[in-house]
């Protein structure tokens, strides 16, 4: 398994990608303290949550965040 496949590496790569479009990826650290992995959400420059807040806050997984970014930030042709 290469380092680029680790969750920490993926998160750094996704945060850099999101920043190009003025988006921020948030992680719920409180869930990590409880022993479960923290969920994620995406917000824009106006601090509005765009994805990851339904059905509850920070409900998106890292895979879901990656898929949402690919689908919603792809350059138009």
């Amino acid at each position: 398994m290469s380092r680029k496949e680790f969750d920490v590496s993926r998160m750094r790569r996704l945060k850099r990608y999101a920043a190009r479009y003025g988006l921020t990826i948030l992680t719920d650290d409180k869930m990590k303290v409880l022993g479960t992995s923290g969920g994620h959400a995406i917000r824009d420059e106006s601090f509005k949550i765009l994805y990851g807040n339904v059905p509850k806050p920070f409900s998106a997984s890292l895979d879901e965040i990656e898929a949402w970014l690919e689908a919603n930030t792809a350059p138009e042709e």
Side-chain angles (χ1 to χ4, degrees):
M1 184 168 169
S2 68
R3 290 185 182 188
K4 70 178 184 177
E5 296 171 3
F6 291 142
D7 283 345
V8 175
S9 299
R10 284 179 62 204
M11 178 55 81
R12 275 196 310 266
R13 190 170 57 249
L14 289 173
K15 283 186 175 187
R16 285 193 309 264
Y17 181 80
R20 292 182 203 140
Y21 297 96
L23 302 172
T24 306
I25 298 175
L26 306 172
T27 302
D28 185 16
D29 292 328
K30 191 170 191 174
M31 290 178 71
K32 289 181 182 178
V33 173
L34 299 174
T36 60
S37 59
H40 305 285
I42 297 176
R43 74 174 180 195
D44 63 6
E45 293 172 333
S46 65
F47 301 104
K48 178 182 174 192
I49 302 295
L50 300 176
Y51 183 74
N53 61 338
V54 175
K56 57 185 179 178
F58 298 102
S59 60
S61 69
L62 194 56
D63 293 330
E64 293 170 339
I65 292 290
E66 186 172 18
W68 189 91
L69 284 171
E70 289 175 359
N72 293 289
T73 59
E76 296 180 13
E77 294 183 26

